[in-house]
Amino acid sequence: MNMIGDSVELGAKYDEKLAASSQPLRSNVLSNKVTSVLSTSYADGDIREALRILDGKRLQNTADTRRNLRLDAQKDVIKCNGDIINDFGKVAEQLERIGSTIASLNKCCEDMRRHVAASHQETAPVMAEGNTLLTQKHELETKDKVLGAFKQHFIISEDEMMALTSMMQPVDEQFFTTLTRLKRIHKDCRILLGSENQQLGLELMDQSSRSLNGAFQKLYRWIQKEFKSLDLENPQISSSIRRALRVLAERPTLFQSCLDFFANAREQILSNSFYSALNGSAQGEDLMTKPIDIFAHDPLRYVGDMLAWTHSATVSEREALEVLFVTEGKEIAKGIQEGVESEPWSKDSSDIFDGRKALEQLVNRDLGGVARALRQRVDQIVKSHDEPVLAYKISSLISFYRVTFIRLLGQDSSVLVTLSALEESALAQCRTALQDQVKSIQPEATEPPPDLGPPDFLDQALDQLKAIMKSYDSSLKPASSREADFAPILHEALDPFLDACTKMANALKEPSNSIFTINCLAASKITLAAYEFTRQRITQLEDTIETHASKLVDYQHAFFLQTSGLDPLVTALSKISSTEKKQKQEKQEDEDKDEEKEDAIKDPQKLKQIPHLPAFHPSSLQAISQTLDDFLPTALMDAMENLAQLKNSRLAAELTEEAADRYVENFVFVESWLVAVDEVLARDGEDDGEEGGEGGEEEEGEDGMGRLRSLFPRTSGEIRVLLS
């Protein structure tokens, strides 16, 4: 409506401006009018709404319409206001009617309130009595529920009691279910003992204890009965027996009694089976199974078959009982722990049940009879044979099975005690047999063979040592201790025979002594070299061989000196030499020898004395030269003949070559002295060349002895070539 009013005012302003057209300047008025119209903002929402309303009236744009526009707008406004007033009159009438209705409702409610209050006063005692009765009913219902729950939880029915204690009833699922419930009742009775009235708890606990004892006695007798009917040849414990044993574990005394019964039965069965396997006397025996006593003629095979049977029986026994003690070991341990709490006197509470340990103990008890029979048989076999190799092979075989049984039964098994005793017995028998062999060869160990090779008793000893080492190599000894563990056996099996060879060698002269010793030691080394656990002993043998090889080198060197005739020259020059070296030293360094020769050569007086020595007289020197010429063509062959009995021809060649090298060094030593003497004599001849008379004749006489090199023309180069 405001917009219409604004439009009317705008029209009025427009009429006023038209009325001013009487003014003289009409053009200015029109201009102002146009400017006013153009300056109006049609973006204003009110103006746009006013224009929209005018457009809706469909008015003609005439002068009358424009003059009456304001009056028409005011007329419309008045009409609208009248309509609104009429509508509000109707609303007021309705409100008056509603007010009268509410007043009547309030009056009615007040009347009802008065009636209710009067009724409440009349029924209050009845309601109080009804509430008291309802409360009492609720309490009775609650007590009835509690009593029902108590009876259901703590009271065992007659049928359930019969299932628990009557031997006429089977041990089935109902038995175990009822027993579980009874154990829970017994445990929950402790809660009742904590209440003010303990009489009920004591009575229920006493009743449940008697019922539990009866149930466990029934279970114990049932297990004993099942064990009696169990196929002990194939002791596969059924699931019902395993479950019964798990439950019976809560009574450690009864549980252990059942295990003792089972172990005694199994021990008897296994012992009978072992004797049946030995002699084949069992009824219903498999025809394909061959009795060990009849078909195992070889002692080693006989012992091996018995050990193999024992191992097979142990594995079968362990597999049959493993389900009970390993798979269900936790349940048994839990039951035993509960039993310890109920029977603290039956077992040390500090012990914790170990399923694997219990399994090993039971299997060990089952094999007790077999172990005793096995020990008797193996002892008989070992003591009835005096062959050391057989005894050691039996010992190694027992050692192998002992390690195997450790994995099956643990360290504390009586079977392992038996096997350890048998192993020690076999080793003792082996040592005794070896000592007897050493005593038996004493008459033979007097003279070595003509070819200085290893004697027959040493070859036999090495053959049996080879068999012993082969058996030891296949054992399960750890690599770190193999050499140390075999050292005592090696000491018993080899050292006495080598000592006998040493005594035989002491009766010989060189080089036979060293040749015989080296041949024996080399044969021993070859035998030991095939195995890693004899390295330390091989090193000791090599050191001893090296010592005797040095003696042979010295012998060959002396042979070269004496046979070639060079020994007198070397001996004479060694006495003159100012050095203190020994003629038979081992290899000396070339620098030390050169220094010694230079020290001697620097003294001309000593050099002048050499031609007057007997060994350096012309005749002696010529004879030595001739002997040397005769020696050189066959020198090496003659020297090799000295070591022809050495079995290792390569070693003989090496030793001869080393001696030849030392001989060449001696020749170089002699040659250097001869050259030095000739040089000194030559210088003295030049200094005295102008003297005449007797002096000159005397000098010629000395020259007439000839230069030493002309009498001993061989050179070190020639010697080295001929002896290479």
Side-chain angles (χ1 to χ4, degrees), residues 654-720:
E654 292 176 353
L655 298 178
T656 303
E657 182 179 354
E658 183 178 353
D661 292 339
R662 291 175 59 182
Y663 174 77
V664 171
E665 293 175 0
N666 294 136
F667 191 90
V668 171
F669 173 69
V670 172
E671 182 184 26
S672 63
W673 279 87
L674 295 179
V675 172
V677 171
D678 287 344
E679 291 178 354
V680 172
L681 294 178
R683 286 198 301 271
D684 291 345
E686 292 177 358
D687 293 339
D688 299 336
E690 297 179 355
E691 297 181 2
E694 294 181 1
E697 293 176 358
E698 187 176 351
E699 182 68 21
E700 290 176 359
E702 290 180 358
D703 291 339
M705 295 175 63
R707 296 296 179 90
L708 297 182
R709 287 299 293 160
S710 63
L711 299 175
F712 196 80
R714 285 287 185 179
T715 64
S716 59
E718 295 174 348
I719 298 299
R720 185 173 284 107

Side-chain angles (χ1 to χ4, degrees), residues 93-296:
E93 292 176 359
Q94 293 294 332
L95 290 176
E96 288 177 358
R97 288 196 297 272
I98 291 172
S100 61
T101 303
I102 290 174
S104 62
L105 288 175
N106 288 334
K107 182 179 179 181
C108 183
C109 288
E110 185 65 26
D111 294 338
M112 293 176 65
R113 190 179 295 109
R114 286 195 301 269
H115 288 294
V116 168
S119 299
H120 182 68
Q121 291 177 357
E122 293 177 359
T123 59
V126 178
M127 292 295 296
E129 185 179 359
N131 290 334
T132 302
L133 294 176
L134 289 176
T135 302
Q136 293 176 355
K137 179 183 177 182
H138 179 71
E139 291 177 355
L140 290 175
E141 290 177 351
T142 303
K143 290 180 179 180
D144 183 67
K145 291 180 180 179
V146 171
L147 179 61
F150 182 85
K151 292 176 63 178
Q152 183 179 1
H153 185 78
F154 286 97
I155 303 300
I156 300 294
S157 65
E158 291 295 330
D159 293 339
E160 292 175 335
M161 189 61 67
M162 289 294 295
L164 276 179
T165 58
S166 176
M167 293 300 298
M168 302 300 295
Q169 298 293 331
V171 177
D172 52 8
E173 185 66 28
Q174 182 183 2
F175 173 85
F176 291 110
T177 302
T178 306
L179 181 61
T180 302
R181 182 187 170 198
L182 185 59
K183 289 189 291 183
R184 185 170 64 250
I185 291 173
H186 184 76
K187 182 178 180 181
D188 292 342
C189 285
R190 300 174 184 177
I191 301 176
L192 297 178
L193 294 177
S195 62
E196 295 181 359
N197 186 7
Q198 298 181 355
Q199 183 64 31
L200 179 61
L202 291 173
E203 292 179 358
L204 289 175
M205 179 168 284
D206 180 66
Q207 182 180 358
S208 62
S209 297
R210 284 187 279 105
S211 299
L212 279 176
N213 291 334
F216 279 114
Q217 286 294 331
K218 174 184 176 179
L219 187 62
Y220 168 71
R221 289 191 292 270
W222 181 82
I223 293 176
Q224 292 279 44
K225 179 181 177 182
E226 290 296 319
F227 275 163
K228 291 180 181 179
S229 62
L230 183 66
D231 182 11
L232 295 178
E233 294 294 339
N234 184 22
Q236 298 293 334
I237 300 179
S238 63
S239 59
S240 58
I241 298 180
R242 294 200 305 269
R243 183 177 182 182
L245 286 173
R246 289 200 308 270
V247 175
L248 192 63
E250 298 178 15
R251 293 294 185 268
T253 303
L254 300 178
F255 179 75
Q256 189 60 43
S257 178
C258 285
L259 292 185
D260 292 342
F261 174 82
F262 181 79
N264 293 333
R266 286 302 300 159
E267 180 181 3
Q268 183 65 31
I269 291 296
L270 290 177
S271 297
N272 294 337
S273 298
F274 181 68
Y275 284 112
S276 299
L278 291 176
N279 51 45
S281 60
Q283 296 181 356
E285 180 187 5
D286 186 2
L287 298 178
M288 298 300 294
T289 303
K290 299 179 180 180
I292 298 176
D293 286 344
I294 298 176
F295 289 91

Side-chain angles (χ1 to χ4, degrees), residues 254-530:
L254 300 178
F255 179 75
Q256 189 60 43
S257 178
C258 285
L259 292 185
D260 292 342
F261 174 82
F262 181 79
N264 293 333
R266 286 302 300 159
E267 180 181 3
Q268 183 65 31
I269 291 296
L270 290 177
S271 297
N272 294 337
S273 298
F274 181 68
Y275 284 112
S276 299
L278 291 176
N279 51 45
S281 60
Q283 296 181 356
E285 180 187 5
D286 186 2
L287 298 178
M288 298 300 294
T289 303
K290 299 179 180 180
I292 298 176
D293 286 344
I294 298 176
F295 289 91
H297 302 289
D298 179 59
L300 184 62
R301 180 184 173 185
Y302 183 73
V303 175
D305 288 349
M306 289 191 295
L307 290 173
W309 188 95
T310 305
H311 176 261
S312 176
T314 303
V315 173
S316 300
E317 197 77 6
R318 184 182 177 90
E319 289 177 352
L321 302 177
E322 196 168 22
V323 176
L324 174 62
F325 288 96
V326 177
T327 306
E328 303 177 2
K330 293 183 179 179
E331 296 295 331
I332 295 178
K334 183 179 178 182
I336 289 179
Q337 185 61 33
E338 294 178 359
V340 168
E341 296 176 359
S342 62
E343 297 181 6
W345 60 88
S346 63
K347 189 176 181 181
D348 186 5
S349 59
S350 62
D351 293 340
I352 299 176
F353 179 80
D354 186 351
R356 292 191 177 276
K357 185 177 179 181
L359 171 64
E360 293 170 356
Q361 291 176 351
L362 183 58
V363 174
N364 180 52
R365 292 180 58 187
D366 296 348
L367 294 172
V370 176
R372 291 190 294 271
L374 178 66
R375 182 169 186 171
Q376 180 182 5
R377 293 296 182 109
V378 175
D379 269 339
Q380 182 180 0
I381 291 295
V382 170
K383 293 179 180 179
S384 62
H385 293 80
D386 56 356
E387 299 177 11
V389 175
L390 176 62
Y392 188 80
K393 286 183 176 181
I394 293 176
S395 173
S396 298
L397 182 63
I398 296 174
S399 176
F400 169 79
Y401 276 99
R402 180 176 58 82
V403 175
T404 304
F405 274 100
I406 288 176
R407 302 170 184 170
L408 289 175
L409 303 178
Q411 294 284 354
D412 301 329
S413 171
S414 61
V415 177
L416 292 179
V417 174
T418 300
L419 293 179
S420 298
L422 291 176
E423 183 181 359
E424 291 297 329
S425 175
L427 285 176
Q429 181 67 17
C430 177
R431 296 190 187 97
T432 302
L434 290 173
Q435 293 171 1
D436 293 341
Q437 283 189 356
V438 173
K439 294 178 182 179
S440 65
I441 66 170
Q442 295 299 331
E444 302 178 11
T446 55
E447 295 183 0
D451 61 349
L452 299 182
D456 293 338
F457 68 82
L458 181 61
D459 289 336
Q460 296 174 1
L462 293 177
D463 289 339
Q464 73 180 11
L465 178 61
K466 186 182 299 183
I468 290 175
M469 289 190 297
K470 182 179 180 181
S471 177
Y472 182 80
D473 188 53
S474 62
S475 66
L476 299 179
K477 296 286 185 180
S480 58
S481 62
R482 290 174 70 86
E483 188 165 359
D485 293 341
F486 190 71
I489 299 298
L490 190 60
H491 175 73
E492 296 285 347
L494 180 61
D495 288 354
F497 300 97
L498 291 181
D499 293 341
C501 293
T502 301
K503 292 179 181 179
M504 296 170 62
N506 292 335
L508 301 175
K509 298 180 180 180
E510 289 292 347
S512 299
N513 182 342
S514 297
I515 291 175
F516 178 67
T517 303
I518 290 177
N519 286 336
C520 295
L521 295 178
S524 302
K525 177 185 173 182
I526 293 173
T527 302
L528 298 179

